[in-house]
């Protein structure tokens, strides 16, 4: 009202609810610049922090973010001992998760100083790169954090000739002491060829009564018989992830131990997998929800189809780079068995066409994410699509993420049909689809909710169709190694007002050359980069 002073005040709880709703780091970065009040509120919402060599004021950062729960020191290459001492001097003691990589001398005193401040630490990732690590070192760390529920242990090297790690095998007594230091352990991930052996796995299963998940990756000193012996002590495991390349093939003893885990809901195998194993899992009636057979070999359509016919609760299925035998007719039948499916990865199944996509979206009503990269994705002639019209398309509003990178047969008209089937797409990866030109723009018009779009490595990408249209929801546009010019960038800047990140082959006058494809930040579970890349506003002309 004119001439009237109105004192408007919104409680902090309301502001925090609004900020939590945004739930994106780059929005919090922007909001923190508005005022000291907003800076204080956004500081309270930061729960994780990655520390690099450039981080000089760790205690101040820990004080700034009072609700910090996760600290990642894996990329830190400086003086780890000094950093741990800084951490021990911080008033913060509420960390739940810590990730540490030993690159130089083991910082025993640093861990001892840190121990009193982190008695409640729940998750620890410990690895060594280029530095020796002994069982005494590992035992010291575990004794510092007696409340651990999750342990990710990577021991890659045995050490040099002057190190205790190279003075013969680790004793069973030391191994048992290590397992006894983990009374509350629920999840363990083991990788490496030192310390991690049959004895360690046996003692973990023997002494960790709450153990639910076991993951073994490239543990060359863990045998099939050792796994079978350990699992007899812990039949209530719910998740088993096995990434050893087995020679010889999986044995009947191993299979018997696997199917004895009657509560198993997650099974991941990166190995030689036989139909015999899949038949046995199917007959055992395991309550599988997640099945990973990525990069496996040795099984056939008969094995996987029989398993899925018996395990009808599967929600997450990965057959990437292991099921090249799959054809459209197979996916048609398998999709009828997957009424609960929410995620599927068929990357590298190069015999699949558009029809496989159609069967999945038609028969799997809960499907949210589809990855069919490096399929051929051609449209078959004289098939269902010859008579398909817009009115015939069965629309699936549930699918939000579609990854089709490196599909040699995918063309503009094809991808427009896919978009009409899945109009609620938010994530679309069309990287290296060489036969496409302007199809991506048409998809943006059909799917207005798209916030991540990859056109990586497109030699003939045409974005002129963006002109005179607005795509306010697009936040990330990946154009690395694609041939676009200043005119295209100008059109993008006018048509995508909400764009937060963009990568392209042009030169940024303020930042220098933009990163190459491999430098693009990794995606999180929502398909967005974990770290903010280059602000697109740099490109505005």
């Amino acid at each position: 009202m004119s001439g009237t002073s109105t004192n408007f005040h919104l409680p902090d709880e309301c502001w925090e609810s609004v900020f939590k709703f945004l739930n994106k780091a780059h929005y919090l970065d922007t909001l923190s610049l508005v005022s000291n009040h907003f800076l204080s509120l956004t500081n309270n919402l930061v729960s994780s922090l990655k520390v690099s060599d450039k981080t000089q004021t760790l205690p101040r950062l820990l004080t700034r973010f009072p609700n910090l729960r996760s600290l990642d020191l894996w990329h830190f290459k400086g003086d780890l001992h000094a950093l741990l001492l800084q951490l021990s001097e911080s008033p913060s003691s509420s960390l739940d998760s810590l990730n540490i990589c030993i690159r130089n001398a083991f910082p025993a005193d640093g861990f001892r100083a840190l121990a009193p401040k982190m008695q409640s630490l729940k998750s620890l990732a410990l690895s060594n790169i280029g530095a020796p690590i002994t069982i005494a070192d590992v035992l010291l760390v575990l004794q510092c954090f007696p409340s651990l529920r999750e342990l990710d242990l990577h021991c890659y090297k045995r050490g040099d000739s002057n190190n205790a790690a190279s003075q013969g095998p680790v004793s069973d007594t030391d191994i048992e002491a290590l397992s006894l230091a983990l009374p509350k352990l629920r999840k363990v991930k083991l990788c490496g060829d030192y310390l991690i052996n049959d004895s360690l796995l046996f003692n973990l299963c023997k002494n960790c009564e709450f153990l639910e998940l076991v993951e073994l990756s490239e543990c060359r000193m863990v045998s099939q018989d050792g796994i079978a012996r350990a699992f007899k002590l812990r039949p209530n495991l719910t998740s088993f992830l096995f990434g050893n390349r087995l020679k010889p093939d999986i044995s009947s003893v191993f299979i018997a131990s696997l199917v004895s885990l009657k509560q198993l809901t997650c099974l991941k195998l990166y190995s030689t997998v036989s139909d015999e194993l899949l038949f046995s899992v199917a007959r055992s009636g395991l309550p599988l929800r997640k099945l990973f057979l990525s990069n496996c070999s040795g099984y056939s359509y008969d094995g996987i189809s029989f398993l899925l016919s018996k395990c009808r609760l599967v929600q997450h299925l990965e057959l990437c780079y292991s099921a090249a035998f799959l054809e459209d007719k197979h996916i048609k039948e398998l999709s009828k068995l997957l009424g609960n499916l929410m995620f599927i990865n068929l990357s590298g199944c190069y015999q699949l066409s558009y029809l496989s996509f159609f069967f999945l979206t038609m028969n799997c009503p809960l499907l949210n994410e589809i990855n069919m990269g490096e399929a051929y994705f051609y449209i078959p002639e004289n098939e269902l699509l010859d008579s398909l019209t817009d009115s015939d398309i069965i629309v699936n509003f549930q699918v939000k993420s579609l990854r089709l990178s490196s599909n040699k047969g995918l063309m503009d008209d094809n991808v427009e049909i896919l978009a009409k089937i899945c109009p609620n797409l938010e994530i679309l990866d069309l990287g290296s689809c060489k036969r496409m030109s302007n199809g991506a723009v048409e998809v943006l018009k059909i799917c207005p909710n798209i916030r991540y779009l990859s056109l990586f490595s497109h030699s003939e990408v045409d974005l002129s169709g963006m002109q005179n249209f607005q795509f306010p929801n697009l936040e990330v546009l990946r154009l690395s190694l694609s041939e676009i010019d200043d005119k295209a960038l100008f059109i993008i800047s006018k048509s995508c007002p909400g764009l937060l990140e963009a990568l392209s082959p042009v030169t940024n006058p303020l930042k220098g050359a933009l990163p190459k494809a491999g430098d693009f930040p990794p995606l999180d579970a929502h398909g967005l980069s974990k770290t903010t890349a280059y602000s697109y506003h740099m490109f505005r002309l």
Side-chain angles (χ1 to χ4, degrees):
M1 284 182 288
S2 179
T4 303
S5 175
T6 302
N7 185 16
F8 177 78
H9 174 73
L10 193 64
D12 288 352
E13 292 80 4
C14 294
W15 282 119
E16 289 187 359
S17 296
V18 172
F19 295 167
K20 287 178 181 178
F21 177 77
L22 295 174
N23 196 30
K24 292 170 184 173
H26 38 249
Y27 286 151
L28 296 183
D29 289 343
T30 302
L31 290 168
S32 68
L33 300 175
V34 173
S35 67
N36 287 335
H37 182 208
F38 276 19
L39 174 63
S40 175
L41 293 176
T42 54
N43 285 344
N44 290 334
L45 298 178
V46 174
S47 61
S48 62
L49 180 65
K50 288 186 177 181
V51 176
S52 69
D53 294 343
K54 298 179 180 180
T55 305
Q56 303 293 333
T57 56
L58 183 60
R60 185 181 301 175
L61 286 175
L62 296 176
T63 303
R64 174 183 171 184
F65 304 124
N67 293 319
L68 199 65
R69 293 291 179 269
S70 176
L71 187 60
D72 187 348
L73 306 178
W74 196 92
H75 294 282
F76 183 77
K77 300 177 183 179
D79 188 343
L80 185 57
H81 172 73
L83 190 68
L84 295 181
L85 289 179
Q86 287 186 23
L87 187 57
S88 69
E89 295 168 357
S90 167
S92 174
S93 59
S94 57
L95 287 180
D96 293 328
S97 176
L98 184 61
N99 185 356
I100 292 181
C101 180
I102 310 300
R103 300 175 185 274
N104 300 299
F106 184 79
D109 291 339
F111 279 113
R112 292 190 184 98
L114 189 61
K117 301 297 297 289
M118 292 195 182
Q119 292 293 293
S120 61
L121 191 74
K122 302 295 190 299
S123 176
L124 173 67
L126 178 65
S127 58
N128 69 309
I129 293 180
I133 188 170
T134 70
I135 189 170
D137 296 333
V138 176
L139 184 58
L140 169 63
V141 175
L142 299 185
Q143 290 173 339
C144 289
F145 311 120
S147 298
L148 284 181
R149 286 164 172 75
E150 300 181 16
L151 174 64
D152 189 344
L153 181 61
H154 289 214
C155 291
Y156 296 107
K157 294 186 178 182
R158 297 289 298 270
D160 57 38
S161 59
N162 296 319
N163 189 273
S166 62
Q167 297 174 4
V170 179
S171 71
D172 289 345
T173 301
D174 289 338
I175 289 290
E176 184 169 19
L178 191 153
S179 66
L180 290 172
L182 298 164
K184 299 181 180 181
L185 192 67
R186 294 182 180 275
K187 300 179 181 180
V188 62
K189 299 179 181 181
L190 303 173
C191 180
D193 56 5
Y194 167 67
L195 175 63
I196 301 165
N197 54 23
D198 286 346
S199 179
L200 176 61
L201 181 61
F202 179 84
N203 279 281
L204 287 172
C205 288
K206 173 186 174 183
N207 297 319
C208 303
E209 61 177 311
F210 302 110
L211 195 61
E212 300 172 352
L213 178 148
V214 172
E215 178 173 342
L216 304 172
S217 177
E218 300 302 328
C219 300
R220 297 176 180 84
M221 295 193 296
V222 176
S223 68
Q224 295 183 58
D225 289 344
I227 293 172
R229 182 167 168 256
F231 282 1
K232 289 181 180 179
L233 303 174
R234 196 56 54 202
N236 59 338
L237 288 179
T238 60
S239 300
F240 177 50
L241 299 91
F242 188 62
N244 278 17
R245 286 293 184 182
L246 288 178
K247 294 180 180 180
D249 293 342
I250 290 178
S251 67
S252 58
V253 173
F254 178 90
I255 294 175
S257 68
L258 183 62
V259 299
S260 70
L261 305 176
K262 298 304 182 182
Q263 299 182 42
L264 198 68
T265 60
C266 177
L267 175 61
K268 180 176 182 179
L269 299 174
Y270 177 78
S271 182
T272 302
V273 176
S274 64
D275 281 343
E276 179 188 359
L277 183 148
L278 300 184
F279 290 151
S280 298
V281 171
R283 296 189 187 102
S284 69
L286 299 182
L288 291 180
R289 300 296 194 276
K290 296 182 178 181
L291 177 63
F292 303 77
L293 297 179
S294 302
N295 294 283
C296 292
S297 61
Y299 71 99
S300 70
Y301 174 72
D302 290 339
I304 189 62
S305 62
F306 185 71
L307 187 151
L308 293 177
S309 70
K310 299 298 182 182
C311 301
R312 303 296 288 269
L313 301 178
V314 171
Q315 299 174 344
H316 188 119
L317 178 63
E318 294 200 22
L319 304 177
C320 52
Y321 304 106
S322 70
F325 54 79
L326 286 177
E327 301 176 13
D328 290 330
K329 62 183 180 181
H330 298 138
I331 298 299
K332 180 179 180 180
E333 298 304 317
L334 292 180
S335 65
K336 297 175 183 177
L337 307 174
L338 297 168
N340 292 293
L341 192 68
M342 302 176 69
F343 174 96
I344 189 167
N345 189 343
L346 296 171
S347 296
C349 299
Y350 60 87
Q351 299 188 70
L352 302 183
S353 75
Y354 167 83
L355 290 180
S356 291
F357 176 87
F358 181 81
F359 294 136
L360 288 169
T361 55
M362 178 174 62
N363 296 324
C364 305
L366 303 181
L367 194 56
N368 184 266
E369 299 181 54
I370 302 174
N371 189 337
M372 294 180 67
E374 295 186 55
Y376 188 65
F377 235 88
Y378 64 98
I379 293 188
E381 298 178 0
N382 303 317
E383 289 281 359
L384 177 64
L385 295 184
D386 288 346
S387 58
L388 189 65
T389 65
D390 288 352
S391 60
D392 295 323
I393 293 176
I394 299 176
V395 179
N396 186 315
F397 295 100
Q398 189 68 24
V399 176
K400 301 294 194 302
S401 175
L402 180 58
R403 300 186 183 277
L404 302 172
S405 60
S406 301
N407 274 285
K408 297 179 180 179
L410 192 64
M411 296 185 290
D412 292 331
D413 292 344
N414 310 159
V415 77
E416 289 177 36
I417 295 175
L418 305 185
K420 291 176 181 178
I421 293 176
C422 303
N424 281 347
L425 282 178
E426 296 179 6
I427 299 168
L428 180 60
D429 184 356
L430 299 173
S432 295
C433 294
K434 303 291 187 180
R435 300 180 69 180
M436 288 186 55
S437 176
N438 61 355
V441 176
E442 298 306 313
V443 171
L444 287 174
K445 296 175 183 177
I446 298 169
C447 304
N449 296 327
I450 289 180
R451 54 192 174 88
Y452 171 90
L453 174 63
S454 174
L455 299 175
F456 161 74
S457 189
H458 275 243
S459 58
E460 298 182 1
V461 61
D462 182 2
L463 301 178
S464 60
M466 281 187 166
Q467 198 161 8
N468 301 322
F469 287 91
Q470 288 286 298
F471 306 102
N473 292 320
L474 189 63
E475 297 178 347
V476 179
L477 180 59
R478 187 179 184 187
L479 293 168
S480 304
L481 303 183
S482 294
E483 296 180 7
I484 59 172
D485 53 19
D486 289 347
K487 181 179 179 181
L489 286 177
F490 180 79
I491 292 174
I492 294 170
S493 71
K494 296 297 183 183
S495 300
C496 307
L499 204 59
L500 298 171
E501 300 176 20
L503 295 177
S504 83
V506 300
T507 299
N508 183 329
L510 299 181
K511 292 285 187 178
L514 285 174
K516 298 179 181 179
D519 298 326
F520 192 75
L523 300 181
D524 62 17
H526 304 289
L528 292 179
S529 63
K530 294 181 179 178
T531 57
T532 302
Y534 294 92
S535 169
Y536 187 78
H537 298 288
M538 293 290 192
F539 294 100
R540 294 196 178 279
L541 303 177

